[in-house]
Amino acid sequence: MKSFVVARDLLREAASRRWFLALGLGITLMLVVMGLSLRMDVVDGALAATRLFGKSMNTQIRATDLALRPAFVASSYLIFYGGLLFGVVACADFGPSLLAPGRIEHLLSLPVRRFELVVGTFLGVLALALVGALYGAGGLVLIFGVKTGVFSGRLIVSALLASVTFSAIYGAMLTVAIAARSAALSAASGGALVLLGIVAGERERIAEFFDPGISRTIFRGLTLFLPRVSSLARSAGEIAGSEPVDPAALTSLLLGLVVFGLAALSLGIHLFERKDF
């Protein structure tokens, strides 16, 4: 329960930062510009033409929901990778700020156990990432809905998948922050995990470039436990585009994320418990 209090305080801290206010205004500005520049001619449920910044994108008349699928897929990738980038850059210093001299001594003097501080920080950042992703995705759903009359909640699913993926990555970022007290290293570890996760999602294809034997085995072993970022982004795009998705494969990907995130967070709690402040 006290972890939720810590998470609430983190959200208050984020709200007081001009950096987060600027990011919120940036997302809002992007949505407004897109809403004003995107023009769609819809006739009796069919999309006749689409113009972005005055340039015609397609003049073939098609059913609106079918014509919008490529736009939904592209928006899904934007939300997914944009959300990850937003989270890695914007949330990297919450861990080091928790350990700031003076603040950590004050927090430890309160009736809050150490693991509750770590879990509360993790939950607060997760809530922050979730709010940002849902805000961006909700804005796109509203723009497409107002322009075409098609309100698709599938982009919301993309935002949720991006938030779940980021939560696993942030578990590792928080652990690095606890070990090194560095926002730069925390952000670097997050960025590296995103890139490695893209590779891990394509590990079967990339493995074909290695000669059968020890090199291929090492590559498979190194990428086995990494979050499958690109696979999840692809699944989010398939959901947004109303394409068939393998539920078993998606469940396996999500379980892998949960295991990775919990393992990283547990290591972070272990390191925090052993630190002498």
Side-chain angles (χ1 to χ4, degrees):
M1 185 64 183
K2 292 177 182 176
S3 294
F4 290 105
V5 177
V6 176
R8 184 192 61 190
D9 289 341
L10 185 143
L11 293 177
R12 285 180 179 173
E13 179 185 348
S16 65
R17 292 185 179 186
R18 294 182 179 180
W19 166 238
F20 278 88
L21 179 61
L23 286 175
L25 291 175
I27 295 175
T28 303
L29 180 62
M30 181 194 71
L31 293 173
V32 170
V33 170
M34 187 170 182
L36 294 176
S37 59
L38 185 63
R39 180 182 172 185
M40 295 179 171
D41 299 333
V42 180
V43 182
D44 294 333
L47 185 62
T50 301
R51 298 178 183 84
L52 185 61
F53 296 108
K55 182 178 180 181
S56 178
M57 301 177 64
N58 197 329
T59 57
Q60 183 180 4
I61 297 179
R62 293 175 293 171
T64 311
D65 57 337
L66 292 177
L68 286 177
R69 286 181 182 179
F72 286 151
V73 173
S75 299
S76 172
Y77 279 99
L78 176 65
I79 292 169
F80 192 92
Y81 285 112
L84 290 184
L85 181 62
F86 167 84
V88 168
V89 173
C91 302
D93 70 334
F94 280 114
S97 66
L98 171 71
L99 304 172
R103 183 182 182 185
I104 186 60
E105 288 82 359
H106 169 69
L107 291 173
L108 291 177
S109 68
L110 300 175
V112 181
R113 286 177 285 186
R114 289 194 174 201
F115 83 90
E116 291 174 328
L117 288 174
V118 178
V119 174
T121 301
F122 177 81
L123 292 177
V125 169
L126 178 59
L128 195 62
L130 185 62
V131 169
L134 290 178
Y135 179 61
L140 286 175
V141 170
L142 185 62
I143 289 173
F144 282 121
V146 170
K147 295 285 184 179
T148 67
V150 177
F151 289 89
S152 173
R154 293 175 179 272
L155 290 179
I156 302 297
V157 178
S158 299
L160 294 176
L161 284 176
S163 300
V164 172
T165 304
F166 175 70
S167 67
I169 291 173
Y170 186 71
M173 291 174 60
L174 184 56
T175 298
V176 171
I178 290 172
R181 291 192 184 190
S182 169
L185 286 179
S186 178
S189 65
L193 276 175
V194 171
L195 294 177
L196 292 173
I198 293 174
V199 173
E202 305 293 338
R203 63 193 296 267
E204 296 302 328
R205 296 180 184 176
I206 297 176
E208 298 298 324
F209 292 97
F210 291 88
D211 292 330
I214 188 168
S215 59
R216 183 179 293 184
T217 302
I218 291 175
F219 173 77
R220 288 181 181 275
L222 291 176
T223 55
L224 180 61
F225 299 102
L226 292 172
R228 308 288 198 272
V229 173
S230 53
S231 296
L232 284 156
R234 188 163 50 250
S235 296
E238 290 170 349
I239 293 173
S242 302
E243 298 175 14
V245 177
D246 185 353
L250 181 57
T251 302
S252 176
L253 290 173
L254 293 175
L255 286 176
L257 271 182
V258 172
V259 171
F260 180 87
L262 288 179
L265 187 62
S266 299
L267 178 60
I269 292 173
H270 174 72
L271 294 176
F272 192 65
E273 294 279 2
R274 293 173 62 87
K275 272 190 173 292
D276 184 18
F277 297 101

